[in-house]
Structures are given as structure tokens and as C-alpha cells.
Amino acid sequence: MNPGFPAPPALVPMTQVRCEVGALVTLGPAKHGERRYVPLGGGTVRGPELNGTLVEGGVDWQIQRSDGVLEIAAHYVIRSEDGALIEVQSDGLRHGPPEVMQRLARGESPGRDEYFFRTLMRFTTGAPQWLHLNKVLAIAVGQREARSVLLDVYRLC
């Protein structure tokens, strides 16, 4: 611990999101890199703090930068088990050794420890029982699989 710095914030397991993903759509070169998106399908949300399903129709906007880093801006909705709708905005980065990124591009599923995939998540809802989520920042550790994305979500305390 460095003198003068308080203890770091804790990360508390919140939920695990498994999202079905559609085919990558590229818009071509843009000013900061290749602009593209991935349509998001259904999925599951399971964990100690939040359970439900993903509402189809979300989108994962991406910029593939020239330095090999993928900027991610996903926007989707969770329907909790009690029927509440919760908006999710997830901004992150994915990068790793070129050979690992090539494996991902071919549809393979490298281990999550072989590359960096992290997102910062924020939630918005008007459902009274879930209003506390409007005050939460969460960090997710991601893993890309052939037809899905798995996110282990931790609430930042």
C-alpha cells in the first residue's frame, strides 16, 4: 500500500451475463479505425444480485483501432425475474497478442486469461425495487465465444 492512498475499492460479485451475438457488420474505415457493430440477441443474467434475461435488440458498437485495440460500446436491456426493465451501458476495451486476436476472429474461444477484455457498466431503471442500480458502477471481465459473450460483473464498492 502506498502512503497517502486509501484502501482500494472492493469488487463484489454481482451477476453473470451470457449474451448471444449476431454476425459482425462493418461500416468500413472511419477516422479512428474500422467502425462496426454486432447485433445482440437474447441471453441470461444469473448471479447473487441480479437475475433475468436479455431483451433482444441491443447493439455492441465497436471501433477496431490501428493499434489492435477494440473499443466496445454495448447498449442493451435486462428484464429482471420480476419483470423490471434495466438499461445497461457497457464501455470497454479488448486486446491481446495478435495470434490470440486472430483466433477470436476465426470464431475460436481462447481462455479469458489469454487476452484483456474489460468493461465499465452503468445501469438505468425506473423500477422502484431496482432504483439502487442507478447508483452502481460495475466492472466486467469478458470472454468472447463463437456465438456469445460471457461477462462476469462485479459491483464497485
Side-chain angles (χ1 to χ4, degrees), residues 61-83:
W61 284 98
Q62 304 176 348
I63 296 177
Q64 181 65 61
R65 299 183 342 203
S66 62
D67 64 358
V69 174
L70 183 68
E71 294 184 9
I72 300 164
H75 200 180
Y76 54 93
V77 175
I78 295 171
R79 183 182 309 278
S80 67
E81 286 184 328
D82 60 10

mmCIF file of all heavy atoms in Angstrom, residues 61-83:
data_model
loop_
_atom_site.group_PDB
_atom_site.id
_atom_site.type_symbol
_atom_site.label_atom_id
_atom_site.label_comp_id
_atom_site.label_asym_id
_atom_site.label_seq_id
_atom_site.Cartn_x
_atom_site.Cartn_y
_atom_site.Cartn_z
ATOM 1 N N TRP A 61 -21.597 -1.529 -30.403
ATOM 2 C CA TRP A 61 -20.854 -0.710 -31.360
ATOM 3 C C TRP A 61 -19.367 -0.840 -31.064
ATOM 4 O O TRP A 61 -18.970 -0.880 -29.903
ATOM 5 C CB TRP A 61 -21.273 0.752 -31.263
ATOM 6 C CG TRP A 61 -22.594 0.997 -31.912
ATOM 7 C CD1 TRP A 61 -23.809 1.064 -31.294
ATOM 8 C CD2 TRP A 61 -22.829 1.170 -33.303
ATOM 9 N NE1 TRP A 61 -24.792 1.282 -32.227
ATOM 10 C CE2 TRP A 61 -24.216 1.351 -33.469
ATOM 11 C CE3 TRP A 61 -22.011 1.193 -34.426
ATOM 12 C CZ2 TRP A 61 -24.800 1.562 -34.717
ATOM 13 C CZ3 TRP A 61 -22.586 1.399 -35.662
ATOM 14 C CH2 TRP A 61 -23.964 1.578 -35.799
ATOM 15 N N GLN A 62 -18.555 -0.914 -32.106
ATOM 16 C CA GLN A 62 -17.126 -1.156 -31.936
ATOM 17 C C GLN A 62 -16.305 -0.272 -32.872
ATOM 18 O O GLN A 62 -16.761 0.092 -33.953
ATOM 19 C CB GLN A 62 -16.789 -2.619 -32.246
ATOM 20 C CG GLN A 62 -17.572 -3.612 -31.430
ATOM 21 C CD GLN A 62 -17.274 -5.046 -31.841
ATOM 22 O OE1 GLN A 62 -16.655 -5.315 -32.863
ATOM 23 N NE2 GLN A 62 -17.725 -5.975 -31.024
ATOM 24 N N ILE A 63 -15.084 0.008 -32.433
ATOM 25 C CA ILE A 63 -14.066 0.610 -33.296
ATOM 26 C C ILE A 63 -12.819 -0.264 -33.174
ATOM 27 O O ILE A 63 -12.286 -0.449 -32.077
ATOM 28 C CB ILE A 63 -13.730 2.055 -32.897
ATOM 29 C CG1 ILE A 63 -14.948 2.955 -33.082
ATOM 30 C CG2 ILE A 63 -12.537 2.572 -33.704
ATOM 31 C CD1 ILE A 63 -14.749 4.381 -32.647
ATOM 32 N N GLN A 64 -12.403 -0.840 -34.295
ATOM 33 C CA GLN A 64 -11.161 -1.611 -34.339
ATOM 34 C C GLN A 64 -10.047 -0.637 -34.673
ATOM 35 O O GLN A 64 -9.924 -0.172 -35.808
ATOM 36 C CB GLN A 64 -11.229 -2.720 -35.381
ATOM 37 C CG GLN A 64 -9.982 -3.572 -35.456
ATOM 38 C CD GLN A 64 -9.759 -4.367 -34.177
ATOM 39 O OE1 GLN A 64 -10.573 -5.175 -33.793
ATOM 40 N NE2 GLN A 64 -8.623 -4.134 -33.522
ATOM 41 N N ARG A 65 -9.262 -0.291 -33.658
ATOM 42 C CA ARG A 65 -8.207 0.705 -33.835
ATOM 43 C C ARG A 65 -6.996 0.111 -34.547
ATOM 44 O O ARG A 65 -6.786 -1.096 -34.547
ATOM 45 C CB ARG A 65 -7.783 1.262 -32.475
ATOM 46 C CG ARG A 65 -8.905 1.952 -31.758
ATOM 47 C CD ARG A 65 -8.562 2.589 -30.448
ATOM 48 N NE ARG A 65 -7.344 2.172 -29.784
ATOM 49 C CZ ARG A 65 -7.130 2.302 -28.480
ATOM 50 N NH1 ARG A 65 -8.052 2.820 -27.690
ATOM 51 N NH2 ARG A 65 -5.991 1.921 -27.948
ATOM 52 N N SER A 66 -6.176 0.986 -35.118
ATOM 53 C CA SER A 66 -4.980 0.546 -35.842
ATOM 54 C C SER A 66 -3.945 -0.088 -34.917
ATOM 55 O O SER A 66 -3.097 -0.847 -35.380
ATOM 56 C CB SER A 66 -4.355 1.720 -36.607
ATOM 57 O OG SER A 66 -3.949 2.725 -35.695
ATOM 58 N N ASP A 67 -4.016 0.189 -33.610
ATOM 59 C CA ASP A 67 -3.072 -0.419 -32.669
ATOM 60 C C ASP A 67 -3.537 -1.788 -32.166
ATOM 61 O O ASP A 67 -2.934 -2.359 -31.269
ATOM 62 C CB ASP A 67 -2.790 0.517 -31.492
ATOM 63 C CG ASP A 67 -4.005 0.805 -30.630
ATOM 64 O OD1 ASP A 67 -5.119 0.315 -30.955
ATOM 65 O OD2 ASP A 67 -3.854 1.527 -29.624
ATOM 66 N N GLY A 68 -4.631 -2.306 -32.754
ATOM 67 C CA GLY A 68 -5.112 -3.635 -32.390
ATOM 68 C C GLY A 68 -6.118 -3.651 -31.260
ATOM 69 O O GLY A 68 -6.667 -4.707 -30.932
ATOM 70 N N VAL A 69 -6.402 -2.520 -30.664
ATOM 71 C CA VAL A 69 -7.362 -2.448 -29.565
ATOM 72 C C VAL A 69 -8.772 -2.302 -30.132
ATOM 73 O O VAL A 69 -9.007 -1.515 -31.043
ATOM 74 C CB VAL A 69 -7.044 -1.270 -28.624
ATOM 75 C CG1 VAL A 69 -8.125 -1.104 -27.565
ATOM 76 C CG2 VAL A 69 -5.678 -1.464 -27.978
ATOM 77 N N LEU A 70 -9.700 -3.074 -29.577
ATOM 78 C CA LEU A 70 -11.111 -2.971 -29.936
ATOM 79 C C LEU A 70 -11.818 -2.164 -28.855
ATOM 80 O O LEU A 70 -11.823 -2.550 -27.681
ATOM 81 C CB LEU A 70 -11.746 -4.358 -30.044
ATOM 82 C CG LEU A 70 -13.201 -4.385 -30.486
ATOM 83 C CD1 LEU A 70 -13.331 -3.933 -31.941
ATOM 84 C CD2 LEU A 70 -13.774 -5.778 -30.307
ATOM 85 N N GLU A 71 -12.372 -1.007 -29.248
ATOM 86 C CA GLU A 71 -13.182 -0.207 -28.330
ATOM 87 C C GLU A 71 -14.618 -0.704 -28.431
ATOM 88 O O GLU A 71 -15.147 -0.883 -29.532
ATOM 89 C CB GLU A 71 -13.127 1.275 -28.688
ATOM 90 C CG GLU A 71 -11.764 1.889 -28.495
ATOM 91 C CD GLU A 71 -11.749 3.389 -28.767
ATOM 92 O OE1 GLU A 71 -12.833 3.999 -28.940
ATOM 93 O OE2 GLU A 71 -10.638 3.936 -28.818
ATOM 94 N N ILE A 72 -15.249 -0.904 -27.289
ATOM 95 C CA ILE A 72 -16.574 -1.504 -27.225
ATOM 96 C C ILE A 72 -17.537 -0.538 -26.545
ATOM 97 O O ILE A 72 -17.216 0.028 -25.501
ATOM 98 C CB ILE A 72 -16.520 -2.812 -26.412
ATOM 99 C CG1 ILE A 72 -15.554 -3.795 -27.068
ATOM 100 C CG2 ILE A 72 -17.902 -3.409 -26.234
ATOM 101 C CD1 ILE A 72 -15.146 -4.930 -26.160
ATOM 102 N N ALA A 73 -18.726 -0.375 -27.119
ATOM 103 C CA ALA A 73 -19.789 0.416 -26.503
ATOM 104 C C ALA A 73 -21.102 -0.342 -26.707
ATOM 105 O O ALA A 73 -21.775 -0.170 -27.726
ATOM 106 C CB ALA A 73 -19.860 1.810 -27.105
ATOM 107 N N ALA A 74 -21.427 -1.206 -25.750
ATOM 108 C CA ALA A 74 -22.637 -2.023 -25.844
ATOM 109 C C ALA A 74 -23.783 -1.333 -25.105
ATOM 110 O O ALA A 74 -23.583 -0.696 -24.067
ATOM 111 C CB ALA A 74 -22.385 -3.401 -25.263
ATOM 112 N N HIS A 75 -24.985 -1.498 -25.659
ATOM 113 C CA HIS A 75 -26.176 -0.889 -25.082
ATOM 114 C C HIS A 75 -27.310 -1.903 -25.224
ATOM 115 O O HIS A 75 -27.653 -2.283 -26.340
ATOM 116 C CB HIS A 75 -26.485 0.397 -25.849
ATOM 117 C CG HIS A 75 -27.356 1.340 -25.112
ATOM 118 N ND1 HIS A 75 -27.742 2.539 -25.642
ATOM 119 C CD2 HIS A 75 -27.948 1.292 -23.897
ATOM 120 C CE1 HIS A 75 -28.502 3.184 -24.794
ATOM 121 N NE2 HIS A 75 -28.651 2.439 -23.724
ATOM 122 N N TYR A 76 -27.847 -2.349 -24.084
ATOM 123 C CA TYR A 76 -28.883 -3.378 -24.118
ATOM 124 C C TYR A 76 -29.767 -3.276 -22.884
ATOM 125 O O TYR A 76 -29.556 -2.428 -22.022
ATOM 126 C CB TYR A 76 -28.265 -4.765 -24.258
ATOM 127 C CG TYR A 76 -27.221 -5.125 -23.232
ATOM 128 C CD1 TYR A 76 -27.558 -5.802 -22.063
ATOM 129 C CD2 TYR A 76 -25.883 -4.794 -23.435
ATOM 130 C CE1 TYR A 76 -26.587 -6.135 -21.127
ATOM 131 C CE2 TYR A 76 -24.909 -5.134 -22.508
ATOM 132 C CZ TYR A 76 -25.275 -5.806 -21.358
ATOM 133 O OH TYR A 76 -24.321 -6.135 -20.435
ATOM 134 N N VAL A 77 -30.784 -4.165 -22.814
ATOM 135 C CA VAL A 77 -31.754 -4.134 -21.724
ATOM 136 C C VAL A 77 -31.853 -5.505 -21.082
ATOM 137 O O VAL A 77 -31.919 -6.530 -21.774
ATOM 138 C CB VAL A 77 -33.145 -3.688 -22.239
ATOM 139 C CG1 VAL A 77 -34.204 -3.777 -21.141
ATOM 140 C CG2 VAL A 77 -33.076 -2.267 -22.800
ATOM 141 N N ILE A 78 -31.876 -5.503 -19.742
ATOM 142 C CA ILE A 78 -32.130 -6.708 -18.956
ATOM 143 C C ILE A 78 -33.578 -6.668 -18.477
ATOM 144 O O ILE A 78 -34.053 -5.631 -18.006
ATOM 145 C CB ILE A 78 -31.188 -6.772 -17.725
ATOM 146 C CG1 ILE A 78 -29.733 -6.919 -18.170
ATOM 147 C CG2 ILE A 78 -31.609 -7.905 -16.780
ATOM 148 C CD1 ILE A 78 -28.729 -6.771 -17.028
ATOM 149 N N ARG A 79 -34.278 -7.797 -18.594
ATOM 150 C CA ARG A 79 -35.583 -7.960 -17.966
ATOM 151 C C ARG A 79 -35.355 -8.828 -16.727
ATOM 152 O O ARG A 79 -35.021 -10.005 -16.848
ATOM 153 C CB ARG A 79 -36.591 -8.619 -18.899
ATOM 154 C CG ARG A 79 -38.004 -8.741 -18.276
ATOM 155 C CD ARG A 79 -38.988 -9.446 -19.197
ATOM 156 N NE ARG A 79 -39.017 -8.901 -20.533
ATOM 157 C CZ ARG A 79 -39.701 -7.825 -20.924
ATOM 158 N NH1 ARG A 79 -40.415 -7.152 -20.054
ATOM 159 N NH2 ARG A 79 -39.668 -7.415 -22.180
ATOM 160 N N SER A 80 -35.499 -8.231 -15.546
ATOM 161 C CA SER A 80 -35.254 -8.975 -14.308
ATOM 162 C C SER A 80 -36.329 -10.038 -14.121
ATOM 163 O O SER A 80 -37.372 -10.011 -14.787
ATOM 164 C CB SER A 80 -35.223 -8.018 -13.109
ATOM 165 O OG SER A 80 -36.510 -7.474 -12.900
ATOM 166 N N GLU A 81 -36.089 -10.966 -13.207
ATOM 167 C CA GLU A 81 -37.053 -12.040 -12.962
ATOM 168 C C GLU A 81 -38.420 -11.519 -12.549
ATOM 169 O O GLU A 81 -39.433 -12.169 -12.786
ATOM 170 C CB GLU A 81 -36.521 -12.999 -11.893
ATOM 171 C CG GLU A 81 -35.432 -13.895 -12.389
ATOM 172 C CD GLU A 81 -34.976 -14.900 -11.355
ATOM 173 O OE1 GLU A 81 -35.004 -14.595 -10.137
ATOM 174 O OE2 GLU A 81 -34.588 -16.015 -11.766
ATOM 175 N N ASP A 82 -38.461 -10.328 -11.938
ATOM 176 C CA ASP A 82 -39.746 -9.760 -11.530
ATOM 177 C C ASP A 82 -40.365 -8.876 -12.620
ATOM 178 O O ASP A 82 -41.357 -8.201 -12.391
ATOM 179 C CB ASP A 82 -39.621 -8.993 -10.214
ATOM 180 C CG ASP A 82 -38.642 -7.828 -10.273
ATOM 181 O OD1 ASP A 82 -38.173 -7.466 -11.384
ATOM 182 O OD2 ASP A 82 -38.319 -7.270 -9.207
ATOM 183 N N GLY A 83 -39.764 -8.863 -13.818
ATOM 184 C CA GLY A 83 -40.329 -8.155 -14.954
ATOM 185 C C GLY A 83 -39.825 -6.738 -15.160
ATOM 186 O O GLY A 83 -40.188 -6.097 -16.151
#
